[in-house]
Amino acid sequence: MEFKKGDFSICAVFVVLLLSTSLVSGGDIVHQDDIAPSRPGCNNNFVLVKVPIWVDGIEVTEFVGVGARFGPTLESKEKRANQTRLAFADPPDCCSTPKNKLTGEAILVHRGNCSFTTKANVAEDAGASAILIINNQTELFKMVCEPHEPDLDIGIPAVMLPQHAGTSLIKFLGNSSSVSVQLYSPKRPMVDVAEVFLWLMAVATILCASYWSAWRAREAAIEQDKLLKDGSNECNVTEVSRSGIVLEINIISAVLFVVVASCFLIMLYKLMSSWFIEVLVVLFSIGGVEGLQTCLVALLSCFRWFERFGQSFIKIPFLGPVSYLTLAISPFCIAFAVLWAVYRHISFAWIGQDILGIALIITVLQIVQIPNLKVGTVLLSCSLLYDLFWVFLSKSLFHKSVMIVVARGDKSGEDGIPMLLKIPRMFDPWGGYSIIGFGDIILPGLLVAFSLRYDWLCNKRLRDGYFLWAMLAYGLGLLTTYVALNLMDGHGQPALLYIVPFTL
């Protein structure tokens, strides 16, 4: 299989794109806050709350709110949560005793004019069983206690709802309908099947890319030996190896690699919007077509029926020699990528994204290589610092974790940027996706692939070489990442923090 200059340039661009996201995430539902005032009666974690709505006995919708710093802990099981009638406060801000009589209803109030704790105390004294506070913005807001308030003993749960949820509830109540709500905050399962499959996908991708890379290196070495034995003095890189162009990273480019990736990450963060996501989708689709085409042509060339078409070439303007097999495969790859891009919002579009992503990762690992362990050590060490800074330390400069914001696609209206492998969380009551960034596969994959190439060229047995232990180390490092992810309630984790020490 031959890589042409066009393929090389596209993949070289994508190496920078791939580094832009290096994160494992499951989505967080518990928000610990060490800054908000904390004291007895006001020390809850901020948790997401499910609020299903019934109108005249029929469940019509469900909203998601956030629990307050104060009040009792919400029920985690849906079947144990009480279904309670909803009433709208009069006055709407609930800063003074409501005029409407309450007998255990949940009360709906507007934010403003007094503190959250004042509203909760007034509602509780009036006989409410819970208070739902409508935010004056689309986003949710953390409800905290006032800095100089005395210790609190609020006995009803308080939940903040986004503005659009409040508008809908007021409309339901305005139609003289009987509206009921339920409040509960289900916990995530300790381990979701999605994480198991994502771990298998990442390990299998590096495994396949490593064996393909080692096979190409051995074929090139055998071909070079033949040419040397034949006394050929006119062999160059292209003639010696039909396995294609290879970009070897040196120490300087390893450091620059991370610097350029950081610049690109800042650009993603600053320009994150729906139009910019569209640009990334187009770039990802182009890279996905190249990756899928390369993998399919290489796979089909292994069969006798297709081998002749893979070795027969035709010259095409601007592209140079292209095999007949590549010409036959290209329309399918283009159609696949276009269909994914157009229908990427449907529920099972993640399958197409993962297929394109895996093919692209495998192709990049054939083109980009490290020449020795020294370069691999520098590259992974710099990448570890990159990961730590942009996941954790960037909060001090940007007030948010830049890596997490970019991975989630905040402010873009999308589920995240396309440079991710993702699988829906199958048994999670909150839904969402488990994700892993391409950088968490490609960067350690460069080291693992080098290990196998070295072992094969030095005729080392599996147990005596580097590859087996590098592969086990990657698997254990990624497994440790998922353990940390679950211990920290789904907060995004820099996977390289765990993978790099294991592999090195």
Side-chain angles (χ1 to χ4, degrees), residues 429-500:
W430 290 99
Y433 292 89
S434 288
I435 64 172
I436 182 170
F438 285 3
D440 297 325
I441 302 175
I442 288 181
L443 291 168
L446 292 171
L447 184 64
V448 176
F450 166 78
S451 300
L452 187 58
R453 289 196 304 272
Y454 178 83
D455 289 351
W456 278 22
L457 293 176
C458 294
N459 297 316
K460 288 181 176 287
R461 293 184 303 172
L462 187 63
R463 287 185 299 177
D464 298 331
Y466 286 99
F467 172 72
L468 175 62
W469 309 109
M471 196 71 240
L472 287 173
Y474 176 78
L476 288 173
L478 188 56
L479 181 63
T480 305
T481 305
Y482 283 115
V483 172
L485 183 71
N486 285 290
L487 290 176
M488 298 182 187
D489 297 306
H491 291 268
Q493 293 295 302
L496 295 180
L497 173 63
Y498 309 95
I499 293 172
V500 170

Side-chain angles (χ1 to χ4, degrees), residues 1-16:
M1 177 60 202
E2 225 177 45
F3 288 102
K4 302 173 290 300
K5 291 181 179 178
D7 300 338
F8 168 77
S9 60
I10 289 173
C11 289
V13 170
F14 259 87
V15 170
V16 178

Side-chain angles (χ1 to χ4, degrees), residues 110-112 133-139 141 160-163:
H110 281 295
R111 177 185 174 184
I133 301 176
I134 306 169
N135 196 16
N136 51 16
Q137 299 175 5
T138 305
E139 297 82 11
F141 185 84
M160 173 160 283
L161 294 175
Q163 191 175 43

Side-chain angles (χ1 to χ4, degrees), residues 167-195:
T167 303
S168 299
L169 289 173
I170 293 172
K171 183 178 179 181
F172 291 146
L173 291 167
N175 293 333
S176 301
S177 302
S178 173
V179 181
S180 300
V181 298
Q182 202 177 18
L183 305 176
Y184 66 102
S185 181
K187 297 179 180 178
R188 290 191 183 279
M190 283 299 294
V191 179
D192 193 89
V193 177
E195 293 168 354

